[in-house]
Amino acid sequence: MNIQIRERPEAGASAGIKTAIADCDIHPARATKDELYPYLAKRWYAHLETFGVHAYQGMMEGPPYPKAQPNASRRDAYPPEGGQQGSSLSFMQKQHLDPNNVALGVLNPLNTGQGLRNQDLAGAICSAINDWQIEKWTSKDARLKGSVVVPNEDGVAAAAEIRKRAGDTNFVQVLLLSRNVEPLGQRRYWPIYEAAQEAGLPIGVHAFGFGGNPITASGWPSFYVEEMVGHSQCQQTALASLVLEGVFERFSKLKMVMVEAGFGWAPSLAWRLDKVFSRLHAEVPHLKRKPSEYIRDHIWWTTQPMEDPESRDHLFQTIEWIGWDRLLFATDYPHWDFDEPSRVLPAGVSDANKQAFYLDNAKQLYGIA
Amino acid sequence: MTSPIAGGVDCDLHPAVPHLTSLLPYMNDYWRDQVTTRGMTDLISQSYPTNSPISSRPDWRPAQGKPGSSLADMQRQALDKFGSAYGICNPLYGVQMVFSEDMADAFCRALNDWLVKEWLDKDDRLRGSIVIPVQSIEKAVAEIERCAQDRRFVQVLMLVMGDMPLGKRHYWPIYAAAERLGLPIGIHAGSAYHNPPTSVGWGSYHIEDYVAQAQAFQTQLTSLIVEGVFARHPNLKMVMLESGFTWLPPFLWRLHKFWRGVRMETPWVDRAPLEIVRSNIRFSLQPVDAPPDGDTLNRLFDHMQSDELILFSTDYPHWQFDGDDVLPKGLSRDLVRRIMIDNPHATYARLKMKETTP
């Protein structure tokens, strides 16, 4: 949760953690609006200056549901040299990567070309963001790895961007958002899955995005808290679509990470899918296995915002239903609902499970030695 | 298996309207003429295709006609079978799908009158839910007030997927009327299909629509809580029908965490979401989205931290269980009694009112 600005021994420093960790959800930002322009053809930054982005929602500036904090980020995370939170590598190192002993940090850039209506613009911005990740971040700090962002509504162009980055060790995954024009299992997105599988890259599906659909099945809600809580429902539906459309039957080596959408809902969703599938399998004969088996074999989950029941036994039982080998620790730095690594797990977890949770699962999934 | 006990309240029965013509006797001349002149045939929702396996248990499917259309079958297969003292009828005829509020109003009135004549008048155990034209608040409130004069109506029925999130202030006059008249609001699985049936758009399959009901209930519960419905109407009960309930604990962990984080946005929410659920929200038993072993289920009940939340239901004639296994394995006798008798009676205050007119 957000930390008020107050006197500190070292401004913005964290309590720290002794063991090395992987942070599977870090959000790098641009310090200024034109920071991306060197990576764009003149045609596209002229377009941005004149028309801005044309998204599947109405606001030209700021999100439709105003966040709880500026840029949804910690007030103590503004870099001393200026620019928005998350836009300075040196301050990110000082405030987060060094004190929190981050051995692997996965970058998930938001506000890219994803979710734009003009697909040519979307493709140009995504490609620019990928170049920018290398130049500003991953080439400057070997702990950081990028995510290939793609023009998600144009499957063919997205696949081409993935193939362009295949084999580049600056990147460890492809990034999609949960809310798109259609549910993620739909065939328009299959070229993305085909290219990712071919490149050996997992796909991170980060909560968020606007795809033109109301963000509940009953229309638009009123409040930011509804959007936040609702991410887990959108993610459940997106995952159900992926399973029921047969994406994992078709792309049997594809791995996906559910990012920032919670994991506590996974057992109930899997049980529901299995139960309904037992009645309705005739409608989806392309599925050769029970839905829960696809989920168990193909899906990983980042931890932030951590499930936080009153009873730690409830948390442990839930994790056992999912598997300690499937959770990837994440902080969401620099966002306001940052999870402090030293406080996220209650007492009573074995050393082996801690090691898997904080580091080893991520290293194994992302192929980091 | 866990055995039911006699005298229970079956909180989710679905009597089927055989055909739109079955409602003609309950419409005025204008609407009778509209239906026949314009060639309207039936209002079957995509949520429940008649021949879909989930729409009827195989051994409850009649030789002819829609599942749930025969009172004698319902008596034999559900009410007598499980020894229920009361059964609450929740008609799922697709009247909510029409786009004209006038037409919806005419169809809702006809449906409610049909329920009285064809079902409630024919079996003393049966109670009804008032189906309302939700697009018009005025008409919805008028229909609640009209039907509530018959004490056998014990609840107001809405669908989980409609035009707007159910917590929106627009709907509050409905909740005020329901609270005043002692009627819980029953929110049932199903969509008016005025919005895509999932929060990320239209899926390809019926199975996706059905799985998505659970997510729709989750977003509605968020809406109802954070908009402040229960701060304004503390005595209003809402019952989630055919919602599933195993999603509730992790849903509440998340809602609680974010409510704590951004409660400055909704300062009228003066109690923790879990407390609001305990005092104001109930869930029907079926479907039980859990593995068949009693151990896991009991852990899930432990995660819910209350034995007052679940109300017995068969979801007749939908296919949620086989044979006599209406109660999942491993429930204690005490919990069975609460689920089948105590919890429904604590929820539906009007159940025991016998007189049919004031």
Side-chain angles (χ1 to χ4, degrees):
Chain A
M1 296 291 161
N2 185 53
I3 299 160
Q4 291 294 317
I5 296 171
R6 65 172 80 98
E7 288 301 313
R8 291 164 170 272
E10 169 114 57
S14 158
I17 182 164
K18 290 198 182 81
T19 52
I21 63 167
D23 182 349
C24 295
D25 192 24
I26 295 176
H27 297 296
R30 279 99 80 185
T32 56
K33 196 174 146 195
D34 56 6
E35 189 173 306
L36 208 59
Y37 288 1
Y39 306 93
L40 285 168
K42 184 179 177 207
R43 185 241 148 132
W44 288 122
Y45 65 75
H47 181 107
L48 284 173
E49 287 294 325
T50 312
F51 303 107
V53 295
H54 205 45
Y56 287 97
Q57 53 91 11
M59 298 271 194
M60 288 299 290
E61 292 289 334
Y65 293 95
K67 309 287 185 183
Q69 312 287 340
N71 307 310
S73 293
R74 289 163 48 167
R75 287 179 193 275
D76 68 347
Y78 282 105
E81 66 266 39
Q84 82 168 66
Q85 305 100 317
S87 64
S88 158
L89 173 62
S90 61
F91 190 65
M92 183 188 286
Q93 289 166 332
K94 184 180 171 192
Q95 185 175 43
H96 175 43
L97 302 178
D98 298 342
N100 284 326
N101 211 354
V102 176
L104 165 64
V106 180
L107 302 175
N108 289 321
L110 302 176
N111 302 311
T112 68
Q114 302 191 324
L116 302 191
R117 287 192 268 165
N118 178 332
Q119 292 308 308
D120 292 327
L121 176 64
I125 293 181
C126 285
S127 200
I129 289 278
N130 293 334
D131 291 339
W132 167 84
Q133 287 184 81
I134 297 172
E135 186 161 327
K136 180 171 176 180
W137 304 91
T138 60
S139 67
K140 303 260 167 36
D141 189 323
R143 293 171 292 185
L144 296 177
K145 294 291 178 185
S147 295
V148 181
V149 295
V150 294
N152 52 306
E153 301 302 345
D154 181 346
V156 174
E161 182 66 23
I162 294 167
R163 293 197 171 99
K164 187 174 145 192
R165 310 290 173 178
D168 183 339
T169 56
N170 285 294
F171 298 100
V172 293
Q173 72 178 354
V174 172
L175 184 65
L176 294 175
L177 300 177
S178 57
R179 297 193 303 227
N180 303 279
V181 168
E182 291 188 82
L184 272 179
Q186 292 287 324
R187 294 180 192 188
R188 64 191 289 160
Y189 306 115
W190 286 17
I192 300 173
Y193 308 142
E194 185 179 22
Q197 177 175 270
E198 194 183 291
L201 292 170
I203 292 183
V205 180
H206 192 288
F208 200 63
F210 288 95
N213 300 296
I215 62 171
T216 87
S218 212
W220 294 94
S222 304
F223 302 109
Y224 175 51
V225 65
E226 297 181 83
E227 189 197 16
M228 288 196 81
V229 177
H231 284 312
S232 74
Q233 285 87 51
C234 294
Q235 200 93 4
Q236 288 171 57
T237 308
L239 178 54
S241 165
L242 287 160
V243 170
L244 294 171
E245 294 280 352
V247 167
F248 302 115
E249 190 59 45
R250 175 84 167 226
F251 304 105
S252 60
K253 294 188 175 127
L254 190 63
K255 295 171 178 177
M256 284 203 178
V257 187
M258 301 290 117
V259 184
E260 205 183 337
F263 57 83
W265 45 264
S268 176
L269 177 70
W271 294 326
R272 182 174 179 88
L273 279 163
D274 280 359
K275 182 167 180 189
V276 181
F277 177 71
S278 74
R279 311 276 192 260
L280 299 179
H281 52 82
E283 194 196 15
V284 282
H286 49 277
L287 300 186
K288 306 300 180 205
R289 305 162 67 198
K290 288 197 295 185
S292 63
E293 295 176 23
Y294 294 111
I295 292 174
R296 186 69 180 81
D297 287 353
H298 292 270
I299 306 296
W300 280 254
W301 320 79
T302 66
T303 55
Q304 180 281 337
M306 186 67 180
E307 306 292 352
D308 215 1
E310 279 176 41
S311 155
R312 66 179 181 179
D313 289 342
H314 296 173
L315 175 69
F316 294 157
Q317 284 160 5
T318 301
I319 294 178
E320 271 151 30
W321 286 326
I322 295 167
W324 279 98
D325 60 333
R326 281 307 196 256
L327 297 183
L328 309 173
F329 176 73
T331 67
D332 199 26
Y333 182 88
H335 288 170
W336 68 271
D337 46 349
F338 177 85
D339 271 349
E340 188 77 47
S342 56
R343 296 193 198 136
V344 78
L345 273 183
V349 181
S350 73
D351 288 345
N353 282 342
K354 268 192 211 165
Q355 181 69 18
F357 176 94
Y358 278 118
L359 185 63
D360 287 357
N361 294 342
K363 283 172 80 172
Q364 199 177 354
L365 174 70
Y366 291 123
I368 304 292
Chain B
M1 64 168 280
T2 307
S3 300
I5 51 177
V9 182
D10 187 342
C11 296
D12 197 24
L13 294 164
H14 300 300
V17 175
H19 192 265
L20 189 52
T21 55
S22 318
L23 297 186
L24 288 177
Y26 305 97
M27 293 179 202
N28 65 23
D29 288 346
Y30 174 79
W31 286 109
R32 259 199 302 274
D33 187 54
Q34 286 282 302
V35 168
T36 47
T37 303
R38 298 170 73 178
M40 296 185 67
T41 54
D42 214 345
L43 294 170
I44 300 168
S45 167
Q46 295 232 353
S47 299
Y48 298 97
T50 303
N51 292 328
S52 164
I54 55 165
S55 299
S56 176
R57 226 172 95 156
D59 56 332
W60 289 346
R61 198 172 276 285
Q64 287 187 325
K66 292 179 186 170
S69 58
S70 153
L71 173 63
D73 284 353
M74 182 192 280
Q75 289 167 329
R76 187 167 48 82
Q77 293 165 336
L79 294 168
D80 301 344
K81 176 81 180 171
F82 301 110
S84 295
Y86 297 99
I88 300 175
C89 295
N90 297 319
L92 296 179
Y93 203 49
V95 293
Q96 295 90 349
M97 293 188 296
V98 305
F99 287 99
S100 151
E101 65 176 60
D102 300 323
M103 185 184 283
D105 184 42
F107 289 176
C108 285
R109 294 169 65 95
L111 180 58
N112 292 326
D113 290 345
W114 168 88
L115 185 69
V116 169
K117 289 282 181 253
E118 310 282 336
W119 295 82
L120 308 190
D121 281 354
K122 292 180 177 172
D123 190 318
D124 284 346
R125 293 169 293 187
L126 292 178
R127 297 293 183 271
S129 292
I130 305 165
V131 180
I132 55 173
V134 282
Q135 292 170 88
S136 162
I137 296 305
E138 275 182 21
K139 292 184 174 79
V141 169
E143 184 61 3
I144 291 168
E145 286 171 345
R146 185 182 77 90
C147 293
Q149 293 172 37
D150 184 334
R151 309 291 170 90
R152 293 171 301 178
F153 280 108
V154 298
Q155 151 174 276
V156 174
L157 193 66
M158 301 173 85
L159 293 184
V160 73
M161 302 183 200
D163 294 83
M164 285 189 289
L166 288 172
K168 285 272 191 184
R169 316 286 157 80
H170 171 81
Y171 292 119
W172 286 19
I174 292 175
Y175 305 148
E179 184 185 42
R180 189 174 72 244
L181 294 163
L183 294 159
I185 301 281
I187 300 171
H188 198 281
S191 181
Y193 289 95
H194 293 184
N195 282 297
T198 89
S199 55
V200 293
W202 293 87
S204 304
Y205 304 111
H206 164 54
I207 185 173
E208 282 182 88
D209 284 17
Y210 195 74
V211 169
Q213 305 288 348
Q215 290 93 60
F217 277 100
Q218 293 164 46
T219 55
Q220 293 291 20
L221 204 43
T222 306
S223 170
L224 291 161
I225 289 171
V226 304
E227 292 270 3
V229 170
F230 304 106
R232 175 69 74 90
H233 301 291
N235 297 317
L236 181 66
K237 292 273 200 296
M238 289 205 180
V239 185
M240 308 290 135
L241 294 159
E242 204 179 325
S243 55
F245 58 85
T246 61
W247 49 261
L248 181 67
F251 166 78
L252 284 173
W253 303 339
R254 184 145 299 258
L255 178 57
H256 186 83
K257 183 165 181 158
F258 289 144
W259 167 70
R260 270 192 331 197
V262 298
R263 56 189 296 185
M264 49 85 173
E265 189 189 25
T266 56
W268 48 83
V269 182
D270 53 359
R271 292 184 297 151
L274 175 62
E275 285 178 47
I276 294 172
V277 167
R278 276 186 197 147
S279 59
N280 296 84
I281 309 288
R282 297 295 178 262
F283 300 83
S284 69
L285 175 67
Q286 294 291 347
V288 181
D289 295 326
D293 65 288
D295 185 46
T296 304
L297 193 78
N298 277 310
R299 284 185 181 196
L300 288 165
F301 272 99
D302 180 43
H303 290 200
M304 288 200 292
Q305 301 183 70
S306 171
D307 49 16
E308 296 177 359
L309 300 183
I310 305 297
L311 312 181
F312 177 66
S313 71
T314 57
D315 195 20
Y316 179 88
H318 296 169
W319 188 12
Q320 304 293 5
F321 60 92
D322 290 304
D324 297 339
D325 295 339
V326 65
L327 297 171
K329 278 183 197 147
L331 301 186
S332 69
R333 294 305 292 169
D334 181 56
L335 189 53
V336 169
R337 184 180 168 80
R338 284 175 184 276
I339 288 173
M340 294 196 70
I341 298 173
D342 300 349
N343 296 347
H345 280 287
T347 304
Y348 293 107
R350 294 165 61 107
L351 267 184
K352 286 189 170 162
M353 297 180 180
K354 290 283 187 196
E355 59 274 53
T356 57
T357 49

